[in-house]
Amino acid sequence: MNLPVVQARLAEADVQRIRRAAAYVEAHDTDAVLAELLPDLSPAERADVARHLVFDHTAVLVFPDSLDGLCEELRRQGFEPGSVTPSVVVRERLARRYGPTLVETPLAIVHVTVGTRSVEIFALPVPPDSPLEAVAADEREAEHESHHAFAVTAPGPVVPAGLRLLLQERGGAVPDGGGYNGHENVTVLYHRTRTHRRFEIRLPGRHAPLPDPTASLLGVMTGAWATQAVATMAELRIADHLTDHPGTDADTLARLTATHPEALRRLLRYLTSLGLLTSSDGTYHLTATGQPLRTGTEFSLHPLARLYAGPFYDSFAGLTHSVRTGEEAFAHRYGQHHFPYFAQHPELGALFHRAMAASAEMFAPVPTLIDFSTARRVVDVGGGNGALLSRLLRTHAHLEGVLLERPEALEAARPQLPERCTFVPGDFTESVPADGDIYLLSRVLHDWDDDRCLTILDNCAKAMHPGAQLLLVERLLPTPTAVAWDIHMLCNVGGQERDEDHYRVLLEKTGFEVQGCHALPLGASLLNAVRCR
């Protein structure tokens, strides 16, 4: 009887790595592996995850001198190998790590049975004196491709999506690439743990890959480019032109905007990638996302786009200074606080007030959320251009309004408010008009630290009679919008966003009782408080 000639040979170090993997597979079940990889998951969460995931195998990467006779070599070492299939995902990962020549290098997958599970062996052939010996040495040391694998037991996209979310948000797992292997008809989704262990989720069939972490980071890092592109779109009034001339080509838009045709075409392509435009046969159309950049419409974001790309954009270059010192970056870069600076530059002050009006959509529900039937006088404390006060006065004809603001802000507000409004120049950190039934503090407190907030609230309390209402409009942490704005406030005015409990403490310290909290559009909230008797 002629035995087959065994050509492949495994180094003793690789054989021992396979044996250690087999011992691990034999000694661990699904719950034990989850507990080891993701200790932040509670036992109940692990039990729930284990209803939909099962520990399937442990994987190692080894380096025989050839793939010919690999199964015979594994049998010689006492293992029970299955069939050999080509690897796709791991080969691509190695090519990204060590260079494109590995794309042409064959890489095999073979499973050796261990009880009801297996060890998955990735085999990269490394002949003697091959340049790949350096790759083998590095991989044996770092074990980049060693991991544990879980198979999803529930079909369809819903359960896998929920599992991925739970493992990331509660377990702390970080996506680490993956892809589809057509030879096995399986999608593998890699993750890293906080302790730099790796595991994969195996999904039958083709599924969307997890985002590449490096590509995701680059997308975040280039967000500044998007800010400036949107501002350029606003400045050139592209949204207006496409509203008046839908389906316009780049050359026509270049004539309408007095821009360089090829440079504009490149901008339009980028805006299309951002989802503000669509392109078809060389013509462009506004999307729903691009519509708010039109001018002359209610709640137009046109001025906000220009403001974000102007002084506010520049102030973020000083974010490191703010984080190190706790001081506002705007004053560090411009030499003074943002409010007096805008007052000294009327064109910026006018842009700021128009930009604030752009987010007045958040005020739309307020007139019907609160009972104004018994109120007579509404005092808007630091209400800017009076957008909220104007909405209340238009909705409730019996109300009289008082707007307390800086003189330059009052001038911007006068055209927006009816005759039954009184304009009071002043500083709410010193005093507030008395005898109001309802007081408004809309997006004021987030401009200041706690001590100044207590001063403002105390001034309001002194001016209010017992039972008078205070309506507070702010964005509340921990919503994503408020989290982003919190950094904006740190950079630009030295203020902060707060959660509901924080505002309750400030209000209670100054003699108010919170009676309710209502969600508003654009991520804002309305806190309704009453002056205690």
Side-chain angles (χ1 to χ4, degrees):
M1 177 177 177
N2 294 324
L3 294 175
V5 177
V6 177
Q7 298 177 10
R9 286 290 184 272
L10 284 168
E12 181 61 24
D14 287 344
V15 173
Q16 292 305 317
R17 290 168 65 231
I18 297 173
R19 295 193 191 286
R20 286 196 299 271
Y24 184 94
V25 167
E26 196 168 29
H28 290 73
D29 60 11
T30 301
D31 186 77
V33 180
L34 285 172
E36 180 181 297
L37 292 174
L38 303 170
D40 290 344
L41 291 178
S42 68
E45 288 170 332
R46 290 201 310 272
D48 196 36
V49 169
R51 292 172 51 227
H52 307 292
L53 284 183
V54 61
F55 176 41
D56 185 74
H57 65 258
T58 288
V60 294
L61 173 61
V62 299
F63 306 94
D65 51 13
S66 170
L67 293 182
D68 294 332
L70 176 61
C71 288
E72 286 78 1
E73 168 68 353
L74 289 170
R75 291 190 188 96
R76 191 175 71 85
Q77 298 293 343
F79 302 112
E80 299 178 19
S83 59
V84 177
T85 58
S87 169
V88 175
V89 180
V90 170
R91 185 174 63 183
E92 291 174 351
R93 289 171 61 88
L94 291 172
R96 286 196 296 271
R97 192 175 298 130
Y98 298 107
T101 56
L102 280 168
V103 172
E104 305 301 325
T105 303
L107 184 67
I109 303 175
V110 59
H111 286 257
V112 297
T113 302
V114 181
T116 58
R117 302 187 181 91
S118 67
V119 173
E120 182 178 50
I121 300 171
F122 298 104
L124 176 69
V126 180
D129 301 322
S130 165
L132 294 179
E133 286 184 341
V135 173
D138 182 67
E139 285 294 321
R140 286 187 180 115
E141 175 69 24
E143 295 199 330
H144 293 297
E145 299 306 323
S146 295
H147 62 266
H148 303 305
F150 299 92
V152 175
T153 59
V158 175
V159 168
L163 284 170
R164 289 156 65 177
L165 187 65
L166 176 66
L167 295 176
Q168 291 171 44
E169 292 194 351
R170 293 285 301 117
V174 178
D176 191 32
Y180 174 69
N181 187 340
H183 299 286
E184 297 182 292
N185 190 29
V186 64
T187 298
V188 294
L189 302 175
Y190 290 111
H191 297 75
R192 285 180 290 106
T193 71
R194 291 195 177 107
T195 56
H196 305 290
R197 304 285 296 279
R198 294 182 59 250
F199 68 91
E200 73 177 20
I201 298 176
R202 298 174 61 85
L203 307 174
R206 186 186 292 273
H207 296 262
L210 293 170
D212 177 78
T214 302
S216 298
L217 177 58
L218 285 172
V220 173
M221 291 166 61
T222 57
W225 303 352
T227 300
Q228 292 296 337
V230 172
T232 299
M233 178 178 172
E235 186 171 346
L236 297 176
R237 297 183 181 268
I238 290 173
D240 289 344
H241 290 303
L242 289 179
T243 299
D244 296 337
H245 310 282
T248 303
D249 60 39
D251 290 333
T252 303
L253 276 174
R255 289 194 297 272
L256 292 170
T257 57
T259 55
H260 186 281
E262 181 57 27
L264 178 64
R265 187 175 285 106
R266 293 161 70 178
L267 172 65
L268 296 173
R269 181 171 58 197
Y270 184 43
L271 293 171
T272 299
S273 75
L274 296 175
L276 278 70
L277 307 176
T278 58
S279 176
S280 176
D281 297 326
T283 63
Y284 296 88
H285 300 260
L286 273 180
T287 65
T289 304
Q291 287 283 345
L293 288 177
R294 296 164 54 201
T295 62
T297 61
E298 189 177 19
F299 311 134
S300 169
L301 297 184
H302 184 276
L304 204 58
R306 294 180 58 199
L307 184 67
Y308 282 177
F312 285 168
Y313 180 91
D314 183 61
S315 72
F316 263 90
L319 177 58
T320 302
H321 169 80
S322 291
V323 173
R324 282 178 172 156
T325 66
E327 300 170 354
E328 62 194 87
F330 192 100
H332 178 65
R333 295 185 67 80
Y334 287 90
Q336 61 186 139
H337 190 277
H338 126 93
F339 288 123
Y341 182 85
F342 278 26
Q344 292 176 14
H345 297 79
E347 73 287 353
L348 286 178
L351 178 63
F352 175 76
H353 289 299
R354 293 198 305 274
M356 293 304 98
S359 54
E361 182 182 351
M362 67 174 61
F363 301 144
V366 175
T368 56
L369 282 176
I370 302 298
D371 181 8
F372 292 91
S373 61
T374 60
R376 179 185 60 84
R377 195 167 189 247
V378 178
V379 179
D380 194 348
V381 179
N385 65 352
L388 175 54
L389 180 59
S390 175
R391 187 173 290 274
L392 294 179
L393 297 181
R394 291 200 311 269
T395 305
H396 302 287
H398 69 284
L399 292 178
E400 298 175 2
V402 178
L403 178 61
L404 172 71
E405 256 296 0
R406 300 179 309 278
E408 68 275 6
L410 292 179
E411 292 306 312
R414 286 183 191 276
Q416 315 299 324
L417 289 158
E419 291 184 358
R420 64 183 195 278
C421 183
T422 302
F423 299 89
V424 179
D427 181 351
F428 49 62
T429 65
E430 296 180 359
S431 65
V432 170
D435 299 326
D437 302 301
I438 292 179
Y439 283 72
L440 310 177
L441 274 175
S442 172
R443 299 177 296 179
V444 169
L445 296 185
H446 74 162
D447 290 335
W448 308 100
D449 61 23
D450 280 1
D451 288 341
R452 189 61 63 90
C453 285
L454 291 172
T455 298
I456 296 167
L457 289 171
D458 190 55
N459 288 340
C460 290
K462 290 175 181 176
M464 297 169 66
H465 59 76
Q469 288 182 289
L470 175 65
L471 304 184
L472 186 69
V473 177
E474 295 288 357
R475 292 181 173 91
L476 299 181
L477 293 171
T479 63
T481 303
V483 168
W485 270 80
D486 187 44
I487 292 296
H488 171 74
M489 303 313 293
L490 170 65
C491 260
N492 284 288
V493 296
Q496 66 180 105
E497 304 295 348
R498 300 168 172 89
D499 61 24
E500 182 181 342
D501 289 341
H502 196 154
Y503 279 117
R504 284 178 179 269
V505 170
L506 295 176
L507 289 163
E508 289 170 1
K509 282 184 176 179
T510 48
F512 293 94
E513 178 185 343
V514 177
Q515 294 194 325
C517 182
H518 308 272
L520 298 177
L522 303 182
S525 295
L526 173 70
L527 282 167
N528 175 24
V530 173
R531 178 74 168 92
C532 296
R533 297 186 180 277

